[in-house]
Each structure stands twice: as structure tokens, then as C-alpha cells.
Amino acid sequence: MINITLPDGSVKEFEAGATAMDVAKSISEGLARNVISASFNGTKVETTTPLHEDGSLILFTFRDEEGKKAFWHSTSHVMADALQQLYPGIKLTIGPAIDNGFYYDIDFGDQKISENDFKKIEDKMLEIARGKHEFQLRSVTKAEALEFYKNENNPFKVELIENLTDRDITFCDHSNFTDLCRGGHIPNTGIIKAVKLLNIAGAYWRGDEKNPQLTRVYGVSFPKQKELKEYLELLEEAKRRDHRKLGKELSLFTFSQKVGQGLPLWLPKGAALRERLENFLKKAQKKAGYEMVVTPHIGQKELYVTSGHYAKYGEDSFQPISTPAEGEEFLLKPMNCPHHCEIYNNSPWSYRDLPKRYAEFGTVYRYEQSGELHGLSRVRGFTQDDAHIFCTPDQLDEEFKKVIDLTMYVFSSLGFENFTTQVSLRDPENPDKYIGKEENWEKAENAILSAVKDKGLNYIVETGEAAFYGPKLDFMVKDALGRSWQLGTIQVDYNLPERFDLTYKGSDNELHRPVMIHRAPFGSMERFVAILLEHTAGNFPLWLMPEQAIILSLSEKYENYSKKVLNLLENHEIRALTDHRSETMGKKIREAEVNKIPYMLIVGEQEENDGTVSVRKHGGEDLGTMTVEEFSKLVNEEISKTLKTFEV
């Protein structure tokens, strides 16, 4: 007999060889109908995998992230099967689950595929699914696996197998289809009730531009047709909220091929928006004791060799810039932290001087591949709201918690109320990925875990996701469409102070190393604006809007009164503009709605005589007639609901 421990702590006894599905059936038939995947002792298993030892079992349904991954990965097998039947001779590579669905990278050879073929592929997938074929995982030897794919003339699978160990190779079968796979599948194809292929893209084998280009087919699937319908409606809403579309409509930013891919140009409205965001954070930072610094866009190569960034980011950075001086090389800076270390090193410090908090809106550069660029969310030049805190080990806990408070203030002021946190630790199996001493990593990881527990944050721990120089706390924010984004990061670093020989004189009159905290509540201005645009659909919080009001005159003869109202609004620090064109009021209102202007102030003969404005809110709500002073009070009250004062 074996003992199976369930997530609630209860223990059930089963005969050796029982499966996850047997456990589900012992709990309830309803659960058994919905269980599609499982994890045993931290390793994903099939629901039909025999269990032969005591252990902890987690059962997953489609509502669970792990369940979705198994569902979507299984569907990628079904899609690969359908494609092989429809396009004989194609070469399969990999087909993982992703955040929202799955993809499969395929070499189609001389055969062509387009979105016009999606319907027949989907029909074939559903035909296969209706067969209710079981997914069966089986172990094979390395020799057997190589022989299978050499016979299929598939060099991609052969390359994958050559990098695997002999006793660690499995195939997954369903119906007459076989694929190299590690596991993690649903019980059978019949659970797949709805499929939709989404798009086609090019992808290099293993992400390397030197390798052959493959065709990547993206799709999504669900256990119910209704869920697919809801998802497609969500996709349409996401298209309407696409920050690239809204950025163009609202004249916030643009790109130029002559300037270069991934290098955004901020238009006047976008630049003003950025400035307001910067000033908002600068004001809070000043109260929190930060000092602003400015560093150059380049630095000598040796600076980044010392910091370790050249070794870790060298391939992803722009290549060194050679000067007329022999052997002298500079880099566009990939990070601000080495520069801030040198600022700290400018003066000797005592423990009484610490903490030192240096902040900068510093622009950094990474050479992202052109296929990975995406509007503002993935660029080659971006500005980080970067700050680095140099403190004593005794101050670390308090300083880390203060940064958490500042980050949460930023989120609440911008309407991001739904978030979780992720503590990213190093991967103990791959120590070569990181720099620094073991004891320093332990101190840093323990400091973060202690702070999040004391703050009562909802957090998860992810092993292997730490930065190369230290562990970190990431804030995972959900937007209005339920999508999760990583915003805001706080990192503890014992390593750079050592690499740059940073010191302070302690109370014992001896030199000690400071601890360094890296933090960026926005992350980068570009990516933050992209996410904020899509979260709000361009309807930013009122305090942030490029224009908070527009004055619409019924005809040109009220132009002077419009200007008078505009001056009064400016005196109340309300951003507004006028529209006294000889257009219909309906057209003026429609254009103001498209431009997301929060308030429309309509003026005509009655308003001029009474010294008032007729107020219409974005979306169509009529707020009636009021004086400019009353309108100003209304605006300030709305702003105060979201833009609170930062309390230290």
C-alpha cells in the first residue's frame, strides 16, 4: 500500500500502482470527470501514470494554470497530427503550451500554408478529437528514438534527441500519431471540444537567426464551445485596446524606419504624459529620501565587464563603439546600476550617512531581435525609473519594505488594484548562471522572504527566476482583461558592492560592504505606458490625461467666451483646449469621444450670459450646467480619489 497526501493535508491509502485518476474517483465522480492533469511530488504526471511510492499529489482541472498547460500542450499534439495528415512530409519540431494557448514550429518545406487553411485544419483537429484517443506516454531508448526520426528524415528531432540522456526519453502516442514528448497530457483527445487557430508567424529554429526559418502556427482550445466564444470576444477587445493602435489614435508616440526599429519617438502629447508620470514618481521619491542623479548613455566596456553585465548581456547588447584611441571601447549602457555604483564610490561614507538612495530616469539599450520587437512593450531603447539604495545590512529589511510601500502607492494611483507578487530565487541546479558568494545569496533571499511575509503580501516563489546578481521581488499585475503583466521589481544585491569595492566605515571604525537594492516601480516608461494604455483603453486616470477638458462652442461667435473659459481653467491648473470650428456640435462631440477627452464643456449664448458651461462626460453622461469654479471643484475631487498623497 502507498500513502497519498492531498493539498488539504489529508492522507489516503491506495494499492501500489494506483493512478491520479483513481485518487480523483475516490474523492468524487464529478472531480474525476474534470481532472485532466496531475503533479506527483512536484513532477507532472499523466492521470494514468501508476504511482508506486508515498507522495504528495495535486489534481488539476482546466481552471488551474497547470491544467490549462496540459490541455493546450495536448492540443498541440492534435494539431501536429492534423497537419501531418493534411500536409504529408512536413517536419515537426516543438509544440509547447504558452500563456494563452499553444503553438507548433514546423518545417513545411515547399508546401504553403496560410490563414485561409485554418478552417480545414480546425475541422481535421475536431475530427481527431472526437475519436477520444488516449494519450499514452512510453519510454524509448536513445537508439530507438534516433532511428525513428532518422527514418522520418527529421533533423530537428534528431538534434533534440542527441542532447538527451538515454534513460530520459519518452514518446507520446495518440491514435496513429507519435511525438517526442516529456509528458503532461490530458487523458484523451475527446476532452477537446473547441479549437481556433489564431495566426501564423516565422520563427528560427531554437531562436537563432543562423538556423533555418520555420513556420509557427498558434492556436487555442477549450473544453467547451462557450469558453472559446468568450475568449474570442476577449481577443477582439484586446485588439481594440492594442497600445500601438491607441498610441497612434491619441498621437502619443510613433516609430521611424530611418531612426531605427525599436526606438520610439515620443510625440508632444506622449512626452507630456511621460513627464507627468516622471514628476508624479519624483515627488513621491523626494518624500521618501531619494536624490536624483544623471548618468551618460554610454560607458567604457570595462565598466560592464566589472559589473558582469558584459558577460551576461553582451550578445544582446549593441556592439562596442571604438574610438580613435587604440583599444578604447565604449558600450551603450544596458543597465544604470554600474554608473550608480561609481557615483557612490565618489565619496567615502560612514554608517551614519546611510542609506544613500540614488534615483534616475535613465535610458538603456538592448539589441532585441527584430522579430521580438512589439510597439512600446519590447523596444531597443527604453527609460527605466531606476533607483539604487546603498544601506547597511541592518537597514535592509526596513528599506526593502519602504520600496514595497512606494510600489503599491504607484499601482493604486494608476488603477492597478489586482496584483500578486513573485519571489524569484536562484536555481540551485545551475550555479553558473549567477555571480557572487553562496552566503550572500542566502542572506539576500532570506531578506526578501522575510519582508513579503511581514507585509502580508500574496506571493509565490519561483526557483530559477532570479537575476544573475541577486534574487528579486516582482509585482505581477492583472489588467482590465485579466491578463497578467510583470510590473515593478525590487532586487537585493550583495554582489555589485563587492565587484565595485563599495565600502562604508562602520561604528567599529572598520570598512564594511553596503547592501544594494535595485528598484523600478514602473519597470520602464515605455512598457509601463503600453500596459497602462491597454489597461485603461486610453482612458487614463484624470490626473494623467493629456487633456482633461475641451471647450466646444456652438458657433464661432462664442470664440471669445471659449478663450475666457480656457484661461479660467488654466488658472485652476486644468489642462484644456478649445474647438470653435464651424462644424456641427455632433461632429465635435464624436471627435472628442474618439480622443478620450474626459469632459466636454459646451458653450453658447445661454452659457455666455450666465457665465457657465454645460458639462458632458466622456461616454455621454450629461452633468448639467455649472460655473467654471464648480467644474474645477468636480475635477479636483475626482483626481483626489485616485491620486493620494504619498505617506512616508
Side-chain angles (χ1 to χ4, degrees):
M1 303 298 288
I2 57 174
N3 292 316
I4 302 297
T5 304
L6 299 173
D8 64 0
S10 61
V11 178
K12 282 178 167 280
E13 193 176 60
F14 294 88
E15 287 188 16
T19 65
M21 188 58 74
D22 292 330
V23 177
K25 287 177 180 175
S26 76
I27 297 171
S28 77
E29 285 297 324
L31 177 62
R33 283 194 298 272
N34 289 306
V35 165
I36 56 177
S37 181
S39 169
F40 186 64
N41 287 337
T43 302
K44 60 186 175 186
V45 295
E46 314 291 282
T47 57
T48 55
T49 301
L51 309 176
H52 293 287
E53 60 186 17
D54 294 349
S56 299
L57 181 71
I58 303 174
L59 302 170
F60 300 117
T61 70
F62 190 75
R63 294 181 179 220
D64 303 305
E65 288 302 313
E66 289 300 321
K68 285 185 174 72
K69 284 181 182 177
F71 193 93
W72 287 332
H73 172 59
S74 301
T75 312
S76 78
H77 280 284
V78 173
M79 181 176 74
D81 183 7
L83 289 169
Q84 271 198 336
Q85 292 185 45
L86 294 170
Y87 303 90
I90 63 173
K91 295 178 176 63
L92 304 175
T93 65
I94 56 170
I98 53 178
D99 287 345
N100 288 293
F102 57 88
Y103 70 77
Y104 215 115
D105 284 347
I106 299 159
D107 181 357
F108 278 87
D110 295 330
Q111 300 183 75
K112 302 294 181 187
I113 182 175
S114 73
E115 293 186 3
N116 295 329
D117 301 310
F118 281 1
K119 179 66 168 60
K120 71 176 181 183
I121 299 168
E122 290 163 0
D123 289 345
K124 176 60 75 173
M125 290 173 68
L126 289 173
E127 177 189 319
I128 294 167
R130 285 192 291 271
K132 297 184 179 179
H133 308 290
E134 290 185 1
F135 288 97
Q136 296 180 329
L137 207 63
R138 59 185 169 93
S139 295
V140 295
T141 65
K142 191 169 187 175
E144 289 170 337
L146 286 170
E147 182 183 7
F148 180 85
Y149 281 110
K150 283 177 180 175
N151 289 339
E152 289 210 339
N153 192 28
N154 188 328
F156 307 103
K157 297 285 193 184
V158 168
E159 182 180 328
L160 290 173
I161 293 163
E162 284 174 343
N163 292 319
L164 298 175
T165 55
D166 195 20
R167 286 174 290 183
D168 190 31
I169 301 173
T170 50
F171 279 179
C172 180
D173 305 322
H174 75 262
S175 184
N176 297 317
F177 178 80
T178 295
D179 203 357
L180 175 70
C181 188
R182 290 186 184 137
H185 303 96
I186 59 179
N188 66 74
T189 62
I191 300 169
I192 303 166
K193 301 293 186 185
V195 299
K196 182 69 178 175
L197 301 191
L198 300 172
N199 65 294
I200 296 175
Y204 291 105
W205 170 235
R206 294 195 149 179
D208 190 334
E209 290 175 326
K210 297 173 185 174
N211 287 337
Q213 188 168 44
L214 307 169
T215 299
R216 178 169 292 180
V217 185
Y218 287 93
V220 71
S221 59
F222 293 90
K224 294 179 182 176
Q225 187 67 36
K226 177 189 171 188
E227 291 171 318
L228 174 60
K229 181 174 179 291
E230 290 170 350
Y231 178 76
L232 294 178
E233 288 171 353
L234 196 67
L235 278 187
E236 285 304 309
E237 180 60 24
K239 287 179 185 176
R240 286 191 287 271
R241 290 171 177 255
D242 190 313
H243 76 275
R244 295 167 298 177
K245 172 177 172 287
L246 290 172
K248 184 176 182 179
E249 290 174 358
L250 300 176
S251 300
L252 298 178
F253 60 87
T254 188
F255 290 88
S256 162
Q257 287 297 323
K258 288 184 179 178
V259 172
Q261 285 185 304
L263 300 171
L265 300 171
W266 290 88
L267 303 176
K269 285 185 181 179
L273 178 82
R274 268 184 62 141
E275 185 179 23
R276 277 190 291 279
L277 281 170
E278 287 186 12
N279 290 340
F280 155 73
L281 187 55
K282 282 178 181 176
K283 186 177 178 181
Q285 285 179 163
K286 187 174 182 180
K287 289 188 73 173
Y290 288 82
E291 300 170 283
M292 295 301 298
V293 297
V294 178
T295 62
H297 290 247
I298 64 173
Q300 288 202 91
K301 178 181 171 182
E302 287 75 16
L303 176 72
Y304 309 111
V305 171
T306 299
S307 69
H309 288 97
Y310 186 74
K312 295 295 178 180
Y313 290 132
E315 292 182 4
D316 297 324
S317 297
F318 288 88
Q319 292 305 296
I321 304 164
S322 297
T323 73
E326 187 177 347
E328 187 177 54
E329 289 184 315
F330 286 80
L331 284 181
L332 290 170
K333 68 175 173 182
M335 295 289 272
N336 298 301
C337 26
H339 297 251
H340 290 193
C341 286
E342 287 302 289
I343 289 176
Y344 178 91
N345 249 345
N346 178 60
S347 303
W349 301 107
S350 158
Y351 71 97
R352 294 187 182 91
D353 302 314
L354 302 186
K356 298 299 295 181
R357 307 179 186 97
Y358 296 133
E360 175 182 19
F361 287 89
T363 302
V364 298
Y365 303 88
R366 311 266 178 83
Y367 187 78
E368 303 284 358
Q369 292 186 17
S370 58
E372 294 177 339
L373 299 173
H374 183 78
L376 289 183
S377 61
R378 197 74 180 267
V379 289
R380 287 174 172 168
F382 53 95
T383 302
Q384 294 180 308
D385 58 318
D386 228 346
H388 297 93
I389 301 166
F390 301 89
C391 63
T392 69
D394 290 343
Q395 294 167 334
L396 175 59
D397 184 66
E398 182 183 359
E399 288 300 312
F400 198 93
K401 289 173 181 174
K402 284 181 178 178
V403 177
I404 290 175
D405 291 338
L406 179 62
T407 304
M408 293 173 71
Y409 168 71
V410 169
F411 290 169
S412 65
S413 299
L414 289 156
F416 289 113
E417 303 291 349
N418 188 357
F419 65 87
T420 57
T421 54
Q422 175 181 305
V423 178
S424 298
L425 308 179
R426 76 207 133 132
D427 181 357
E429 304 293 323
N430 291 290
D432 293 343
K433 287 171 60 178
Y434 312 100
I435 61 175
K437 296 177 181 175
E438 171 87 12
E439 62 190 78
N440 288 342
W441 274 91
E442 286 184 11
K443 289 179 191 173
E445 290 175 343
N446 290 335
I448 292 179
L449 289 167
S450 173
V452 295
K453 288 172 184 173
D454 288 350
K455 279 291 178 184
L457 295 180
N458 178 18
Y459 73 95
I460 59 169
V461 174
E462 286 290 346
T463 301
E465 294 297 315
F468 74 91
Y469 50 78
K472 58 180 180 171
L473 175 68
D474 290 324
F475 287 78
M476 316 302 289
V477 176
K478 280 203 171 179
D479 69 10
L481 298 182
R483 300 172 301 183
S484 186
W485 303 93
Q486 186 268 314
L487 283 179
T489 186
I490 316 172
Q491 302 167 359
V492 177
D493 184 358
Y494 281 84
N495 293 309
L496 285 188
E498 201 161 286
R499 282 177 166 251
F500 281 93
D501 195 23
L502 307 185
T503 61
Y504 67 91
K505 188 169 285 188
S507 57
D508 57 0
N509 223 28
E510 298 292 327
L511 291 179
H512 300 271
R513 291 258 184 261
V515 185
M516 191 173 174
I517 300 175
H518 306 244
R519 54 110 281 210
F522 291 147
S524 84
M525 300 300 292
E526 286 72 15
R527 187 167 175 274
F528 189 84
V529 169
I531 294 168
L532 186 61
L533 256 175
E534 298 193 4
H535 176 58
T536 63
N539 298 304
F540 300 117
L542 187 56
W543 66 268
L544 188 59
M545 289 297 294
E547 289 99 13
Q548 294 165 321
I550 184 169
I551 304 152
L552 308 177
S553 55
L554 286 169
S555 73
E556 291 177 338
K557 64 182 181 179
Y558 303 112
E559 180 179 345
N560 288 335
Y561 183 59
S562 295
K563 290 179 178 177
K564 180 181 177 182
V565 171
L566 180 62
N567 289 334
L568 289 170
L569 291 174
E570 288 174 346
N571 290 339
H572 286 86
E573 297 186 346
I574 292 174
R575 296 183 293 277
L577 68 162
T578 61
D579 184 353
H580 39 72
R581 297 173 298 162
S582 57
E583 298 285 358
T584 65
M585 184 54 66
K587 182 175 181 180
K588 291 180 181 181
I589 289 172
R590 282 194 299 275
E591 289 181 0
E593 287 283 347
V594 168
N595 288 316
K596 315 282 187 182
I597 299 175
Y599 290 102
M600 286 151 258
L601 311 183
I602 300 166
V603 297
E605 183 178 2
Q606 187 68 47
E607 287 78 15
E608 183 175 27
N609 290 337
D610 297 343
T612 60
V613 291
S614 292
V615 182
R616 174 191 169 99
K617 200 169 184 180
H618 175 67
E621 184 182 358
D622 185 356
L623 301 183
T625 303
M626 60 185 76
T627 65
V628 173
E629 286 71 21
E630 288 170 330
F631 174 70
S632 300
K633 184 180 178 184
L634 182 149
V635 168
N636 289 326
E637 285 176 352
E638 184 176 339
I639 289 174
S640 66
K641 290 176 183 176
T642 53
L643 190 58
K644 310 288 186 186
T645 302
F646 180 60
E647 302 294 341
V648 179

